[in-house]
Amino acid sequence: MLKISAFSKLSGISVKALRFYDSVKLLEPAVIDPNNGYRYYTQEQLLTVKRITAFKEHGFTLDQIKTLLEEHPLPEVKLKLADKKKELERSILEAQQQLKEIDNRIARVEEADQRQHETPITVRSVQPQLTASIRDIVPRAHLCLLLDELTKYVNSYGEGEGRDLTILWYDHGGTYTDQVELEVAVPLTKTIPSNERVNVRLLPELKAAASLVHLCSPYDDSCLAADQLASWISSQGYVRSYIDPIRETYLTSDKDIYGKMRLAELLFPLELG
């Protein structure tokens, strides 16, 4: 007979683990001294430890190992091993999908980092785009609720997630107030039905717009980018057009936000000379 400390050294299993195995009835001591509670193991139980270790290396859970330590006909053992093989194959496929998604995230982070370090302010045109949108007058804090409502609607028609969300600011004039008139829009690949809340329409072309790609927090009540862009327009001799609303497009999807900041493009429509 071996005391638990001696058995631990021979088996390579910690005393703590042996006590845990005892508590879950995976490997119980051969004898427990009723006077002092000392646990004693036999040399034959070293084989059981080796079997437990081997099964753990194969990915079996303790409950599964407990079953495998019992006597079973070999065909039944073969079925249990085959089931474990299928389980591991599923795990491998899931891990491969996770690796693929991580690679995609890395690519998106690299793209966002590159765009952030490009020339911060440019003048460009914007092509017309089929969109679904919701226009409303709401507290600025309700912006996320509108975006969520819109994305759920377009997703119900098979228009997938991860698309750039655009906000059209109608009356804030570059400053942030409590109640704002705005329109949230998401691009579509096909025409879907409108309803009393969602309008499917062609977002019009902007022949010229001042563009500023910047990092912003969706949770902040103010953003310096609008003031920066307005000052640049004035300094360069351009004239802002008030026919079309200011547009702000989130270039970072919700799931790609790390920390509080997300990449966005602010667009001020310009008058053509």
Side-chain angles (χ1 to χ4, degrees), residues 41-60:
Y41 296 81
T42 64
Q43 287 86 348
E44 288 80 3
Q45 286 179 295
L46 290 170
L47 174 60
T48 303
V49 171
K50 289 182 179 179
R51 294 172 66 197
I52 291 171
T53 302
F55 286 135
K56 285 184 66 179
E57 289 174 349
H58 294 153
F60 288 96

Side-chain angles (χ1 to χ4, degrees), residues 184-253:
V184 294
V186 61
L188 299 174
T189 61
K190 61 186 178 184
T191 301
I192 64 174
S194 300
N195 65 15
E196 67 280 0
R197 287 280 289 167
V198 178
N199 182 26
V200 175
R201 69 183 183 96
L202 196 66
L203 196 63
E205 173 188 18
L206 295 178
K207 293 186 180 297
S211 163
L212 172 59
V213 176
H214 65 291
L215 285 173
C216 70
S217 171
Y219 309 104
D220 284 349
D221 292 332
S222 62
C223 177
L224 298 177
D227 292 336
Q228 181 183 351
L229 193 52
S231 296
W232 183 89
I233 290 171
S234 177
S235 68
Q236 299 299 310
Y238 292 105
V239 178
R240 181 183 153 193
S241 170
Y242 289 87
I243 297 175
D244 295 296
I246 294 171
R247 299 185 191 182
E248 185 175 16
T249 299
Y250 290 157
L251 305 176
T252 303
S253 66

Side-chain angles (χ1 to χ4, degrees), residues 106-223:
I106 290 172
R108 292 195 295 269
V109 168
E110 289 175 345
E111 180 183 0
D113 185 57
Q114 181 179 354
R115 293 194 70 169
Q116 181 186 346
H117 290 90
E118 291 174 351
T119 304
I121 299 179
T122 59
V123 173
R124 73 180 189 90
S125 62
V126 179
Q127 296 301 309
Q129 171 68 56
L130 179 66
T131 62
S133 66
I134 299 175
R135 183 169 177 173
D136 206 346
I137 299 175
V138 295
R140 179 175 166 76
H142 290 190
L143 170 60
C144 289
L145 297 178
L146 289 181
L147 290 171
D148 185 63
E149 178 185 353
L150 180 62
T151 52
K152 285 180 179 177
Y153 182 81
V154 299
N155 290 345
S156 70
Y157 286 94
E159 292 289 285
E161 296 182 3
R163 302 181 185 191
D164 293 344
L165 298 168
T166 296
I167 304 141
L168 290 79
W169 302 97
Y170 285 93
D171 64 0
H172 78 25
T175 61
Y176 292 89
T177 57
D178 181 34
Q179 293 282 332
V180 291
E181 183 178 3
L182 55 82
E183 183 178 6
V184 294
V186 61
L188 299 174
T189 61
K190 61 186 178 184
T191 301
I192 64 174
S194 300
N195 65 15
E196 67 280 0
R197 287 280 289 167
V198 178
N199 182 26
V200 175
R201 69 183 183 96
L202 196 66
L203 196 63
E205 173 188 18
L206 295 178
K207 293 186 180 297
S211 163
L212 172 59
V213 176
H214 65 291
L215 285 173
C216 70
S217 171
Y219 309 104
D220 284 349
D221 292 332
S222 62
C223 177

